[in-house]
Amino acid sequence: MKAFNVLQDIKQVEDAIPFYRPQGSEVELFERAWRNRLPLLIKGPTGCGKTRFVSHMAARLNLPLYTVACHDDLTAADLVGRHLIGDGKTIWSDGPLTRAVREGGICYLDEVVEARKDTTVVLHPLADDRRVLPIDRTGELLEAPPPFMLIVSYNPGYQNFLKGMKPSTRQRFVSLAFDFPAPAQEEAILIGETGIDTMTAKRLVSIAGAFRVLRDHDLEEGASTRLLVYAATLIRDGCEPSLACRAALVETLTDDADTASALIEVIDATFGR
Ligand SMILES: Nc1ncnc2c1ncn2[C@@H]1O[C@H](COP(=O)(O)OP(=O)(O)O)[C@@H](O)[C@H]1O
Ligand SMILES: [Mg+2]
C-alpha cells in the first residue's frame, strides 16, 4: 500500500512538468546557464516551442516562473512595480520582475523587443554580473539570489528589423536559436500533444515541410508547430483531415486566394483526395 502511494506521488510530480521534446542540447545548455547565473536569450519563429521550453525547464528545476508578454506600451514600472492607491493610503506593489528576483525564480520576457526602451534600464544591471534590481521609487537595491534567472525571447523574422535589440542589451545574454523541429521530432510532438496516430502525424509534418518552403515568398511565416498541434487536435476530435488543415493551417496563414488554393492542393495530395 505504501509503495503504491509513493508511485502515485512520483506520477503527480511528472504530470506537473509540461511535456517538452528537446530539439538538441537546449536542456543541457539551459541548466548550465542557470547554474552559472547567466541570463538567456531564446530566438526563433512563432510557435516553435520557446514558451513551452521555458515552462518545462522552470517545472523541472522547481522554480517559480513569471512570464510577461511584452507589448509596445510595456514600461519599466510594469515590470518593477508601482504604488497603488487604496483606502486612502498608497501601497507598493511588486511587478513580475521584482517578484521573480525576490523569490529567486525565473522572469521570462516574451517578445522582449516589443517593450518600451526604458525597460533596458532595469534589465541591464540584472543581466550582467551585478545581478541587481534598482527600484527607484522605493529606493531599494535588490540583489538577485543565485536561483534567479532572466530569460528573454523574440522572433527575428517578425518584421523586427528596425526594432531589433541593441548590441549593449544583446551582449548580456547567452543565446539559443530555435527553429521548427526536425520531422521525426515534430511527429513525436504531435503524437505526444494530441495522441494522434503516426500516419496522420507524418502527413501533417510533410504538409508543414511543403508550406515552410513558401516562407519568405508567398507566406510571411511557415506553418508553426503550434498550428500543426491545432490541426492534429481537430483531426483527433474526428474532423475530416482536409477540413482540419484548411481551418488550422491555410486560413490562418494566408488571406490570398491563389496562395490558399496552392496550399489546399498540397493538403489534398497528401491526404489523398
Ligand atoms: N519541443 C516541443 N515539445 C512539445 N511541444 C511543443 C514543442 N514545440 C512546440 N510544441 C507545441 O507547440 C505549441 C506552441 O509552442 P510555444 O512554446 O507556445 O511556441 P513559441 O513560444 O515559440 O511561440 C506548444 O503549445 C506545444 O503544443
Ligand atoms: Mg511564446
Side-chain angles (χ1 to χ4, degrees), residues 208-225:
F211 285 14
R212 284 171 195 159
V213 175
L214 299 171
R215 178 157 45 153
D216 298 331
H217 300 287
D218 296 309
L219 293 179
E220 206 175 325
E221 293 254 308
S224 64
T225 306

Side-chain angles (χ1 to χ4, degrees), residues 13 17-18 26-35 40 53-65 104-106 147 149 151:
V13 171
I17 299 181
E26 69 271 32
V27 170
E28 178 197 330
L29 252 163
F30 186 110
E31 286 180 352
R32 288 189 193 284
W34 176 69
R35 268 204 309 278
L40 188 65
F53 173 58
V54 173
S55 46
H56 171 82
M57 292 307 299
R60 212 174 143 121
L61 297 171
N62 200 17
L63 297 168
L65 172 63
I106 294 177
M149 188 178 193
I151 305 178

Side-chain angles (χ1 to χ4, degrees), residues 9-19:
D9 289 347
I10 292 169
K11 181 76 176 59
Q12 275 172 1
V13 171
E14 278 174 359
D15 280 351
I17 299 181
F19 166 66

Side-chain angles (χ1 to χ4, degrees), residues 28-189:
E28 178 197 330
L29 252 163
F30 186 110
E31 286 180 352
R32 288 189 193 284
W34 176 69
R35 268 204 309 278
N36 290 284
R37 300 168 208 180
L38 300 174
L40 188 65
L41 180 154
I42 307 174
K43 55 182 172 176
T46 184
C48 71
K50 302 183 293 296
T51 299
R52 177 60 67 89
F53 173 58
V54 173
S55 46
H56 171 82
M57 292 307 299
R60 212 174 143 121
L61 297 171
N62 200 17
L63 297 168
L65 172 63
Y66 290 91
T67 300
V68 182
C70 300
H71 52 81
D72 50 12
D73 277 336
L74 189 102
T75 63
D78 293 323
L79 295 177
V80 176
R82 50 170 52 90
H83 284 107
L84 300 177
I85 304 165
D87 286 345
K89 51 182 182 190
T90 57
I91 331 158
W92 172 259
S93 167
D94 280 344
L97 181 62
T98 307
R99 278 196 212 163
V101 171
R102 282 199 213 277
E103 292 173 23
I106 294 177
C107 183
Y108 172 41
L109 306 177
D110 204 358
E111 284 302 336
V112 69
V113 292
E114 298 289 335
R116 291 252 203 108
K117 293 300 161 234
D118 75 326
T119 52
T120 56
V121 176
V122 292
L123 296 183
H124 280 196
L126 258 184
D128 56 35
D129 56 3
R130 289 172 283 173
R131 287 179 50 98
V132 292
L133 175 64
I135 310 182
D136 286 350
R137 312 243 174 117
T138 63
E140 270 180 290
L141 182 68
L142 289 185
E143 232 170 87
F148 169 79
M149 188 178 193
L150 178 66
I151 305 178
V152 301
S153 73
Y154 81 107
N155 174 0
Y158 172 70
Q159 291 169 349
N160 273 334
F161 201 66
L162 290 174
K163 284 184 168 173
M165 283 172 102
K166 284 194 305 186
S168 59
T169 307
R170 238 189 130 104
Q171 294 205 17
R172 286 175 151 78
F173 292 86
V174 168
S175 302
L176 279 179
F178 274 43
D179 205 342
F180 299 121
Q185 304 282 5
E186 202 163 41
E187 282 163 34
I189 292 170

